[in-house]
Amino acid sequence: MDAVFSNFDDYLKAFGLTIGLFVVAGIASLVWGTILAVLRVGPISILNKAAALYVTLFRNTPLLMIFIFMAIAMPVLGYNFKFVEDVEIGGYNVSAFFFRSCIALTLYTSAFVCEAMRSGVNAVPLGQAEAGRAIGLTFAQSMQLVVLPQAARAIIPPMTSVLIALIKNTSVAAAFGMAEAVATMKALTNNNADQRTGIFLAFAVGYIIIVEVVALASYAVERKVRVAR
Amino acid sequence: MRFIRTKAIIATAGLALSLAACGDAGDDGGNATEVDVQENAADAFDDGTAMKDFADSGKITIGVKFDQPGIGFKGAADDMPKGFDPEIGKILAASLGIAPEDITWKETISDNREPFLQEGEVDLVIASYSITDERRQVVGQAGPYYVTGQQLLVGTDSDIASLDDVKGKEVCSVTGSTSLENIKAEGAKPRGFDTYSECVDQVLSGTVDAMTTDGAILLGYAAEHPDDLKVVVDPFSEERYGVGYSKDKPEMCQWIVDTIKKAEDDGDWDAAFEATLGQSGVDTPEPPAMDECPAA
Amino acid sequence: MTAQESTPVSAGRGEPLVVLSGVQKHFGQLHALKDIELSVARGEVVVVIGPSGSGKSTLCRAINRLETIDEGTITLDGQPLPQEGKALAALRAEVGMVFQSFNLFAHKTILENVTLGPIKVRGMKKEEAEKQARELLDRVGVGHQAEKYPAQLSGGQQQRVAIARALAMEPKVMLFDEPTSALDPEMIKEVLDVMVDLAQQGMTMVVVTHEMGFARTAADRVVFMADGAIIEENTPEEFFTNPTSDRAKDFLGKILKH
């Protein structure tokens, strides 16, 4: 454990990066996954099929392969996303590595978000959407005002699982230039072979804390949604 | 492959003049190292030592890297790993009367070298295994049998010429490696990857500015892409490669040191180097002085 | 408007409002609507009856395009039904729909159920929409329940709220798809009373129902369907006392026996 405490700065930075990847990829996945879910249940046949194809493609591809594609194949093809490094947000520059990692995580996770959303939407009786349309709501309005608020309760448990999986999946970025928790753990164990177990426990605890925070937040939201019904 | 028991001829790094004579579709030629396999080797060791057990059973398991060209590398189609580390393994095994084809090779990665030794998964680790005080707390490390240093691999048109130039630049290596920690200390942005080959791809595609690790490995890649890549800066760290063994068998240290010393004296060490790391064009260095074994 | 002219019985209270012409609909192998010709005049109350599976619900749902049709045309106030999109949503706002299973928005209060359409579709101000909603809820007799959620109301109360919700859009025509079929017997009357009231105030209505009493008292015309086709249509008195087709006689014989 000494190695962790004497490098506590690195430890915090590592989990900071893990959380950063989680938050950015998580928000992007929720947005993109929701759009996909709406396309999947929407009235336009070609978009249904396109969204279904997307889900099939990215849900069935190992995350590692998506990372290899984004981080290794794309740069070889000439797309290295270096342009994002010119963008400054609040004094910070986003690195192309962070950006590519977030894209890889989002491409993958959004497929699962879409399916979690869809299962929630399917849990809402069809008559609710019909009643919404019958009073003249557009498809988008009936999704937004009628279906999704009711789907929320059914969506939250599977969505929580998707987000927790995302937290752990950020560790794949360790092998693609991100000094997040797992990469830092490897560096510490490599340099401190005698403290392997302690270092491992310290990083496991870090993950447990993040996952528990997300799980508790989801229980809180679930309770709130339940009261609203 | 039928060999005379006493004289095994090993092909290394796709160099098989003699194998071609045996009807094996040889690779692109080159040097072969020959190792004298000791006869009646078991007689040379005292009862109850680990060496006696190996010699009696005729078996030994050695952990090497499979992904470091020149040092320890095994392609998908290869039967045996090639490189300087496996050569050292063969020399050690030969002194026990074990022929190269009777050695069990196991891939060790940076993360599992100590656990593998502690749990008896492997008998020896010869895997670009730098000797450090921390590691010597948990396992034995005999040697060094080779000393190298960290350098930089950059594109031929790169303006990185000295170590100062890496400040703020993105430099890749293997995730969690000491090299990556060292370059971070120099002010570079460390970019860890799973394998060296992925890291080289990043340099080639211009995604990172440089790659860093032990000079020997970098020379191998520079030789593969002479028009695109070059190795720069003088070695700025000292990596002393040692042979890892279990602390439960301290008697192995002296045997390892003695065997390697003998190989240095009779030219086997030079031959092993020339057949592997020497292929990238570097001169064969003087073998390093080895550490005293800890008192038993 | 040939469909109107060819209709044998027309209440003739006004010009045609809903016109179905040559409508065909298939569900896979099932021919759900066969060559439907039907015209509903402004202010007219048309009751559609028939055995289950006869296509009467499909007919009702096709009028606001909750079911698409394969062939033929449906016009509302002279406008053909648009395809999906904003235009269709605008048309649906003109057509009130009451479902068998009420379909009140489960996550919204009774008041919000009634104000949602006026606010979001008509762009009405919230206070104005609530004032109108409370008047409508009083009219259907559930004004004191405005703050509750649908699940806290009885089926009859929910269905009356559903009627108020549809009326809040000031529709040109009201469609009722078996509005009392999911109700306990003691609640049927309270819903039918509201519907009769509505009919007397001149609302154009298409009602799919098994309530023959309602058909007798409130309908201008009865349409009898079987196997996806309109078999017979007539005034209630004529239809119930003097059905012409064998299918209608058979059907009436079965339901009026008890």
Side-chain angles (χ1 to χ4, degrees), chain A residues 71 75 82 100 174 177 190 196, chain B residues 111 114 135 175 191-192 202 207:
Chain A
K82 283 272 188 195
R100 284 193 300 259
N190 193 41
R196 199 168 272 282
Chain B
D111 275 346
E114 293 87 15
R135 287 174 182 157
T175 303
R191 296 298 179 197
Q202 298 282 304
T207 311

Side-chain angles (χ1 to χ4, degrees), chain A residues 127-128 130 133-134 145 150, chain C residues 61 92 103-105 107 169:
Chain A
Q128 293 286 314
E130 286 192 342
R133 282 185 281 155
L145 299 170
Q150 295 189 58
Chain C
R61 290 163 57 83
R92 281 175 177 151
N103 295 347
L104 293 182
F105 305 130
H107 63 306
M169 300 304 292

Side-chain angles (χ1 to χ4, degrees), chain A residues 10-227:
Chain A
D10 284 344
Y11 179 85
L12 290 181
K13 268 190 204 160
F15 273 109
L17 189 51
T18 293
I19 292 169
L21 286 167
F22 166 65
V23 170
V24 174
I27 291 171
S29 299
L30 286 175
V31 171
W32 178 223
T34 305
I35 292 170
L36 285 170
V38 169
L39 296 182
R40 269 206 90 167
V41 300
I44 303 169
S45 164
I46 181 102
L47 294 179
N48 296 163
K49 292 195 177 94
L53 180 69
Y54 178 96
V55 169
T56 306
L57 196 63
F58 284 96
R59 197 168 55 156
N60 296 338
T61 307
L63 176 60
L64 186 63
M65 282 182 61
I66 299 175
F67 258 98
I68 290 173
F69 182 77
M70 282 309 300
I72 297 181
M74 291 291 272
V76 170
L77 296 173
Y79 304 99
N80 60 15
F81 299 98
K82 283 272 188 195
F83 61 87
V84 300
E85 298 186 352
D86 300 334
V87 181
E88 202 179 279
I89 302 165
Y92 286 95
N93 286 89
V94 176
S95 79
F97 279 89
F98 184 82
F99 187 75
R100 284 193 300 259
S101 295
C102 287
I103 291 184
L105 287 167
T106 301
L107 286 173
Y108 180 77
T109 308
S110 57
F112 291 88
V113 169
C114 170
E115 288 305 275
M117 289 287 221
R118 203 166 64 90
S119 77
V121 168
N122 287 344
V124 177
L126 189 62
Q128 293 286 314
E130 286 192 342
R133 282 185 281 155
I135 59 167
L137 298 178
T138 61
F139 172 75
Q141 282 179 318
S142 105
M143 283 305 281
Q144 183 205 336
L145 299 170
V146 177
V147 178
L148 290 181
Q150 295 189 58
R153 193 179 162 191
I155 287 171
I156 287 167
M159 195 63 79
T160 306
S161 300
V162 169
L163 291 177
I164 287 173
L166 172 61
I167 294 171
K168 296 184 278 183
N169 284 340
T170 58
S171 63
V172 176
F176 298 91
M178 289 277 93
E180 48 67 79
V182 165
T184 304
M185 182 180 86
K186 280 189 167 190
L188 287 181
T189 46
N190 193 41
N191 293 339
N192 305 277
D194 50 329
Q195 300 173 39
R196 199 168 272 282
T197 313
I199 293 167
F200 177 80
L201 285 175
F203 279 85
V205 166
Y207 275 106
I208 289 171
I209 290 171
I210 299 175
V211 169
E212 277 306 301
V213 167
V214 171
L216 290 174
S218 103
Y219 294 144
V221 175
E222 202 178 346
R223 216 171 304 129
K224 208 171 163 204
V225 174
R226 190 177 301 149
V227 170

Side-chain angles (χ1 to χ4, degrees), chain C residues 26-166:
Chain C
H26 292 82
F27 288 115
Q29 290 293 309
L30 181 71
H31 199 166
L33 293 179
K34 285 180 193 157
D35 203 22
I36 299 294
E37 301 284 341
L38 179 69
S39 178
V40 181
R42 200 179 296 276
E44 192 182 14
V45 176
V46 173
V47 167
V48 183
I49 64 172
S52 64
S54 60
K56 54 194 194 300
S57 270
T58 308
L59 175 76
C60 183
R61 290 163 57 83
I63 294 173
N64 70 350
R65 210 167 185 273
L66 286 178
E67 299 288 354
T68 55
I69 55 173
D70 301 334
E71 279 176 52
T73 58
I74 300 176
T75 60
L76 183 84
D77 214 359
Q79 301 283 328
L81 291 196
Q83 298 293 306
E84 289 295 333
K86 284 216 160 62
L88 178 62
L91 174 125
R92 281 175 177 151
E94 306 290 326
V95 180
M97 177 106 189
V98 177
F99 299 87
Q100 180 178 347
S101 49
F102 331 135
N103 295 347
L104 293 182
F105 305 130
H107 63 306
K108 296 206 174 286
T109 63
I110 298 307
L111 189 66
E112 289 166 342
N113 262 275
V114 182
T115 58
L116 184 71
I119 293 172
K120 296 293 176 184
V121 179
R122 296 274 189 245
M124 198 182 274
K125 285 206 180 63
K126 191 168 176 240
E127 304 78 56
E128 202 186 333
E130 286 186 354
K131 183 167 167 284
Q132 181 208 37
R134 287 185 192 283
E135 283 169 14
L136 285 167
L137 289 172
D138 284 339
R139 187 167 143 196
V140 298
V142 286
H144 54 294
Q145 314 272 26
E147 315 307 327
K148 291 186 178 171
Y149 284 90
Q152 295 168 288
L153 270 59
S154 73
Q157 288 170 327
Q158 287 193 52
Q159 194 61 299
R160 284 183 281 153
V161 174
I163 293 170
R165 176 175 70 180

